[in-house]
Each structure stands twice: as structure tokens, then as C-alpha cells.
Amino acid sequence: MRRARMTIAATVAGTALSLLGTGVASAGTGPKPSGPSAAAGSVGTEVGNPSSSAAQAAGVCSDAYQIGTTSYINRNTETIASVKQFYSPGCDENYGYLWVWKSFLDKNINFDLTVGVWSYDRDSLVGTRTVFDTHGQEFWGNAANTVGECTSGYGLIAITDEPSNEVRTEKRC
């Protein structure tokens, strides 16, 4: 009986894999993720947790998930932050997200930052949140009513006496 169950399980698994095909989906290209976020609880993470304390303080809707690619802010040759764009189907809004890497925070350098959603339709930044003289790690932009527009996540880090470092994620329409 045990062998029959294992054979059935292997057949079901093989069929499921063959139905998936050989394509690979990347963030934001497929359907909304299902199930609990890998980043459960109120802790922020590099992947972005819309239930984190910082997200809730910024008013991010808890069903938000990443759309599009991740972009990276560099300081000379060092990667110092990740930038993403999130979408909430429940609130029908987009959010910018910026996560500062620990390796940079360990240098104890304060910085200014801006995070939001770049609207190509408006040629402007929407849902902007700017923080001055910070040493924080997780930052969410304000809600951006840009769902019907072509957008990118946007992030900028400025360090005193250095050029600003800014990026946009891929354009999404």
C-alpha cells in the first residue's frame, strides 16, 4: 500500500511539473503570490514585508506584493540599497520600497533618502517619502494612485559631500 501511495505521489508531482513548462516567472510577471509572505510578522526584510512595522506606519496595504525587478543603489563599487515597486490589489495603489544593506549601515554614515513611484505618464515622482539625516534600514513610499499608468519604483540616497545615488526599477505599464 505504501508503495502505491509513493507511485501515485510521484506521478502527480511529475504531471504537475510537466504542466508548469520550462518557463521561469520573475517577480511581478505572474499572478499575485498566494499564501503567507515569507516575511511574516512585523519585521522588515530585504524582500519587502508589507506587514512590517515600517510598512504599517507608512500606511502600506497588507496585500501588497512586488511587481517588476529589483534595482540597486551603488556608492562607487559598493551596493548599498535595494529598490522595488509594490502593488496592492485591495487598495489599488503602488508603493516604492527602499532597503538599505547592513554592510553599508555598519559604516555608521547618516544619509538622506527619497523613495516613491516614478510615473512616466506624469513625468514625476508620486507617493514620495523623503527622510533626512537617517541611519534606518527599511523605507516605504506613500501610496501612489498610479495603477493605470506606466511606473517604476524609485529610490535615492544622498550622503553629505558626495553625489546622489538614484535608481528606478524596470518600467511597468
Side-chain angles (χ1 to χ4, degrees), residues 70-151:
T70 301
S71 290
Y72 300 94
I73 296 176
N74 294 307
R75 178 180 181 231
N76 300 315
T77 60
E78 175 191 15
T79 301
I80 63 173
S82 303
V83 175
K84 303 171 187 281
Q85 180 177 196
F86 280 72
Y87 164 66
S88 162
C91 295
D92 204 29
E93 295 172 324
N94 292 328
Y95 305 90
Y97 180 70
L98 191 148
W99 176 264
V100 181
W101 289 21
K102 185 179 181 312
S103 57
F104 175 69
L105 292 176
D106 287 347
K107 296 178 192 296
N108 293 318
I109 298 171
N110 282 10
F111 52 92
D112 301 337
L113 74 88
T114 300
V115 61
V117 174
W118 181 262
S119 168
Y120 292 89
D121 296 22
R122 303 178 200 188
D123 196 28
S124 66
L125 195 55
V126 183
T128 306
R129 180 177 305 267
T130 301
V131 180
F132 297 100
D133 196 31
T134 186
H135 191 70
Q137 187 164 45
E138 178 187 21
F139 301 91
W140 290 87
N142 295 309
N145 185 12
T146 56
V147 173
E149 303 173 27
C150 293
T151 59

